[in-house]
Structure formats: structure tokens, C-alpha cells
Amino acid sequence: MKDHLNFKKITLSAGLASCLLAPHSVLAADDSATASANVIAPIQITKTADLVFGDFAPGVGGTVTVSTSGARTATGPILSASGASSSAAQFDVVGEANATYSISYSGDTALTNTTGGGGETMLLTRHSDLTGAGAIAGEVTSGTLGITGTQSIYLGGTLAVSGTQVPGSYQGTVTVTVEYN
């Protein structure tokens, strides 16, 4: 019987020692999470058409407007040259399908005479849309790429023309910047 008690003591001591010396504590627990990332296509923008107001004579002054569809109109007695074509600027945006993005505009707010006189200017007011439907006011500031990951931005503008506007070739630059939201 004494051997039986010794065996119980040894078994109890061994069991207690294994609990105390075990590498995992009964007071701790752990679990794991999966880390993941999704790299999407970078957003890109390409100009495919320039904003062109065409040829005109100032008359006694007024405005010349090119809509986002490229149609030109004038207020005041602006004299349009026959056959002078106009066009809206077009920027094609490519990126991740169905992604939203912001649009910002910078650059010249006036066109400057580069050939005729002493740097005369005409004030430029920009307007834009995403459909080329003929907007003549406002600037679109966000877009959503379609299921193919594409969308176009159409940019028109209005020039303030003085009755004494010096003849010449007037130019400026408008920059359109797009960024994923």
C-alpha cells in the first residue's frame, strides 16, 4: 500500500510539474488575422483635343463661348469668320473600373497674345462636364469611372473680348488633374 501511495504522489507531482512547466499558459490565448492588399490600376489622364475658339473679329466687344460640345456662340457684335471651327478640350481618364475620383483645374485664366502686340490678354472662364452635352457654365469636380475604367472630361470656355482687342494669336494653358478619392 505504501508503494501505491508513492505512485500517487509521483503521478500527482509529475502532473503538477507538467502544468507548471507547460509552454502555453491556461491564462493566455491567441488567434491570427490575414493581412491583404489590393493594388489597383493607377489613374491616368490624356488630352485628346484642345480648346479652340476659332477666328473672330472683336466688333465692339463681347464674349465668345465654346460649349463642352464644341459649339461656339458670341454675345455682343463679335464677328465670326466663316468656316472658323471651334472645339472643346477633351481629356480621357483611365483607371480602376467603377472608382470615383476628384477633378481640379489650374493654369491660365487668360489667353495672352503671342504674335501681335505687347502681351495683351483676354479673360478665360472655364466650364466642364463629363458628357460633352454642351455645358456653358460650371466646372465638374468629381467623376466615376465606368465598368471599363474610362470616362472623358470635356472643357469649354468663355473669352471676354474687348472692342479694341489687338489682332494676334492668343494662347494659354489649362491643366486638369485627377486623383482617386
Side-chain angles (χ1 to χ4, degrees), residues 53-59 64 72 78-81 84 122 159 161 165 170:
F53 288 88
D55 298 339
F56 56 87
V64 176
R72 183 173 73 174
I78 300 290
L79 307 172
S80 296
M122 287 186 283
L159 289 177
V161 182
Q165 200 72 52
Y170 288 75

Side-chain angles (χ1 to χ4, degrees), residues 2-16:
K2 195 173 183 182
D3 286 336
H4 184 59
L5 281 175
N6 281 339
F7 179 73
K8 283 186 176 181
K9 283 182 184 178
I10 292 172
T11 303
L12 181 60
S13 296
L16 185 58

Side-chain angles (χ1 to χ4, degrees), residues 18-26 28:
S18 69
C19 286
L20 294 174
L21 298 175
H24 292 285
S25 169
V26 293

